Amino acid sequence: MTGLPELARFVEVMARLRVECPWDARQTHRSLVRYLVEETCEVVDAIETGDDAHLREELGDLLLQVVFHATIAAETDRFDLEDVARDIADKLIERHPWVFTDVPVPDDVNATWEAAKRAAKGRRSALDGVPESLSSLSRAAKVISRVRGAGVLNEADDLPSQPITAEEVGSSALDLVARAQAAGIDPEQAVRDALRGYENRVREAEARG
C-alpha cells in the first residue's frame, strides 16, 4: 500500500487495536454485524443532509467496518484487505468490458451486469442472491428489478409500469403505511407476504422454462 500511506497506517492501527484493546480483541464477524448496519444507515443520513464533513466522517466509520472484518480474517490467514481490494477491482474490470475492452456499451447496462453476475455465480434463478435481511421495500425493488431484467413472467407479470414521480411514490407509500397502522397491520410484514407470493410465481415461471 505504498501509494496509500494513510490507508496503510489505518491497517496498522487496526492490527494494534486487535492486540492491545480488550473490546476490539474480542470482536468477531458476527458481533460486528449490528455496527455494520448502523454505520451504513449513518452514511445514508449524511448523504441526505448534504454535509461533506459529516459524510467524510461516516464514510470513515464504514471503512472501519471493512478494515475490521479484513483484519479479523487476516489473523487466521483467510484473506486480508489487499485480497478484498484485488477481488473487487478484478470484478469491476470483468463486469465492465465496455470500459476496459473494445466491447460497445450495451443498451441496458443494468441487465448486462445482472446477466454477468448470474453467469459468474452460477445462479439458476433471477431471485438467487437477493439478501433476505433487506427491508421489505428494498427487497421488493431488488426482486422486481431482477425479474424484469431477466425477462421472467413476460406474459403473466401484472405489476404496473406506468411512470410515476418520486414525490408520488413517497406520498403513496406514506399513505399506505398510515392506513396499515390504523388497521393494525404491520406494513413490513404485509409487503414481505405479498413479495413471497410474487417470488413463488417467478420460480414457477422459471421452472416451466
Side-chain angles (χ1 to χ4, degrees), residues 69-87:
H69 282 281
T71 301
I72 292 172
E75 291 167 356
T76 52
D77 294 323
R78 288 149 55 208
F79 61 84
D80 60 16
L81 190 61
E82 284 284 314
D83 296 321
V84 174
R86 182 186 308 107
D87 288 351

Side-chain angles (χ1 to χ4, degrees), residues 28-141:
T28 65
H29 291 304
R30 184 174 292 274
S31 72
L32 290 172
V33 168
R34 57 175 286 195
Y35 303 104
L36 177 60
V37 173
E38 289 172 5
E39 298 301 352
T40 301
C41 292
E42 289 178 8
V43 169
V44 174
D45 289 346
I47 290 172
E48 293 185 345
T49 63
D51 185 323
D52 282 350
H54 187 198
L55 178 58
R56 176 175 170 175
E57 176 187 358
E58 297 304 340
L59 285 173
D61 290 342
L62 185 58
L63 179 60
L64 167 60
Q65 296 302 308
V66 176
V67 174
F68 209 151
H69 282 281
T71 301
I72 292 172
E75 291 167 356
T76 52
D77 294 323
R78 288 149 55 208
F79 61 84
D80 60 16
L81 190 61
E82 284 284 314
D83 296 321
V84 174
R86 182 186 308 107
D87 288 351
I88 187 59
D90 289 346
K91 180 189 293 185
L92 290 174
I93 292 171
E94 180 184 356
R95 299 277 177 84
H96 294 82
W98 53 92
V99 174
F100 298 98
T101 72
D102 295 331
V103 172
V105 178
D107 293 332
D108 190 334
V109 172
N110 185 63
T112 302
W113 172 278
E114 291 296 343
K117 184 186 294 186
R118 284 198 305 275
K121 295 182 177 293
R123 291 173 176 168
R124 302 173 62 183
S125 170
L127 304 178
D128 290 347
V130 178
E132 293 285 346
S133 57
L134 284 175
S135 69
S136 62
L137 195 60
S138 294
R139 194 166 195 281

Side-chain angles (χ1 to χ4, degrees), residues 166-186:
E167 291 75 14
E168 290 173 319
V169 171
S171 62
S172 297
L174 189 59
D175 286 347
L176 283 173
V177 170
R179 291 170 61 188
Q181 190 279 330
I185 297 171
D186 179 355

Side-chain angles (χ1 to χ4, degrees), residues 155-202:
E155 75 288 345
D157 187 0
D158 56 358
L159 294 178
S161 58
Q162 298 91 336
I164 190 171
T165 66
E167 291 75 14
E168 290 173 319
V169 171
S171 62
S172 297
L174 189 59
D175 286 347
L176 283 173
V177 170
R179 291 170 61 188
Q181 190 279 330
I185 297 171
D186 179 355
E188 176 78 12
Q189 189 60 55
V191 175
R192 282 194 177 277
D193 291 341
L195 182 59
R196 190 172 295 110
Y198 178 66
E199 288 174 318
N200 289 338
R201 285 164 43 212
V202 171

